[in-house]
Amino acid sequence: HSRVLQIQGPLSIEVIKAATNGRIDESMAYYRSGFFDIGGQKLYVSRSGFTNELGFEIYCDGANTDHLALWDHLMSVGEPFGMEFSSTRAMTIRRIEGGILGNTTDIDTSMTPFEAGLGAFVNLSKGDFIGREALVNADRRALLMGLTCFGATPASNSIVIDGDKFVGRITAGVHSPTLGIGIGYVKFNRPGEWVGKEMKLRLPDGSEHECAIVSLPFFDKEHLIVKGVDRNIP
């Protein structure tokens, strides 16, 4: 099976430069990709990631890749830079902090691109395409927003209450070590002017906590970190 390894963080360029003997460096632009020799194996590498950090993704080629050799090579060249391996849990925390949406978790095929917050990628003036007619008159407002809570960590399927009305549900939530508060995504039942409103978060255990609706991402709204402009750890 094919696997994807992610090297993410402020020193990821130094690590990937060492891993490729300098074939990849600062000149590789965000979202660019190509095949490179990594420890004697030809692998596909993209400057991207699921963390909204400066980083790279290495795509293995199933049985054609010596995964153990690749792992040992990366850990060896990364050691001088303090690189550590972590689970997808750490990646999930950072992807929520960074405002990255998970397919089928936060968004699904029942939503329009506008409802999913992906309206920037829709070009209604380019001519006809499948689904265009449905989108022309669709509400352009998103259903997904950010939620912050000082008193608790939002849990999936927690509900959001405005006054006495159930208005939305949490799709994913974590405690943010960067912000020191609970954060999550709320999918509202209908479009509205939700950002800036104070509401209540009801957890699965029935407890209620004050929360606020915010725009995404939760910080670095100019995306300076992922572009490599700001390499300071927040």
Side-chain angles (χ1 to χ4, degrees):
H1 297 288
S2 181
R3 294 290 186 268
V4 179
L5 291 174
Q6 303 207 28
I7 301 175
Q8 306 284 300
L11 295 179
S12 58
I13 285 184
E14 281 70 19
V15 174
I16 199 70
K17 187 187 297 184
T20 61
N21 288 322
R23 295 180 181 88
I24 297 177
D25 57 20
E26 292 85 350
S27 65
M28 186 175 185
Y30 184 42
Y31 271 125
R32 295 298 186 267
S33 61
F35 285 95
F36 297 89
D37 184 291
I38 302 180
Q41 302 189 72
K42 188 177 182 181
L43 298 165
Y44 192 70
V45 181
S46 64
R47 185 174 163 183
S48 56
F50 203 53
T51 64
N52 234 16
E53 291 276 355
L54 172 64
F56 299 84
E57 292 181 294
I58 301 171
Y59 296 80
C60 302
D61 188 21
N64 296 321
T65 299
D66 186 334
H67 298 85
L68 294 179
L70 174 61
W71 180 270
D72 289 343
H73 175 65
L74 293 175
M75 294 305 296
S76 175
V77 299
E79 184 176 7
F81 303 102
M83 187 176 78
E84 299 179 355
F85 67 87
S86 63
S87 69
T88 55
R89 177 62 178 169
M91 185 171 66
T92 296
I93 292 173
R94 189 60 188 91
R95 75 100 177 167
I96 294 176
E97 287 184 334
I100 297 176
L101 304 178
N103 189 32
T104 72
T105 302
D106 308 309
I107 57 178
D108 56 45
T109 55
S110 71
M111 306 167 70
T112 70
F114 300 120
E115 291 174 336
L118 302 175
F121 300 100
V122 178
N123 181 2
L124 294 174
S125 63
K126 72 173 186 177
D128 194 29
F129 58 87
I130 296 174
R132 182 182 184 280
E133 185 177 347
L135 294 178
V136 168
N137 297 315
D139 195 305
R140 306 294 172 89
R141 293 174 294 179
L143 293 180
L144 275 166
M145 304 289 172
L147 177 145
T148 59
C149 182
F150 285 89
T153 298
S156 296
N157 289 321
S158 300
I159 65 173
V160 178
I161 302 170
D162 184 19
D164 60 354
K165 295 181 179 179
F166 159 54
V167 294
R169 189 178 298 275
I170 298 296
T171 62
V174 295
H175 175 78
S176 167
T178 304
L179 301 176
I181 58 175
I183 63 172
Y185 298 140
V186 53
K187 180 181 178 182
F188 285 98
N189 301 332
R190 60 175 179 79
E193 304 305 321
W194 304 113
V195 172
K197 285 194 171 185
E198 301 287 332
M199 298 186 184
K200 285 187 178 180
L201 171 70
R202 181 181 294 166
L203 299 179
D205 65 6
S207 62
E208 294 187 356
H209 307 268
E210 299 295 325
C211 64
I213 309 304
V214 299
S215 61
L216 296 172
F218 290 94
F219 62 89
D220 188 31
K221 296 184 183 298
E222 294 78 24
H223 304 289
L224 299 180
I225 295 175
V226 72
K227 294 176 182 177
V229 177
D230 183 358
R231 298 198 193 182
N232 295 314
I233 298 176

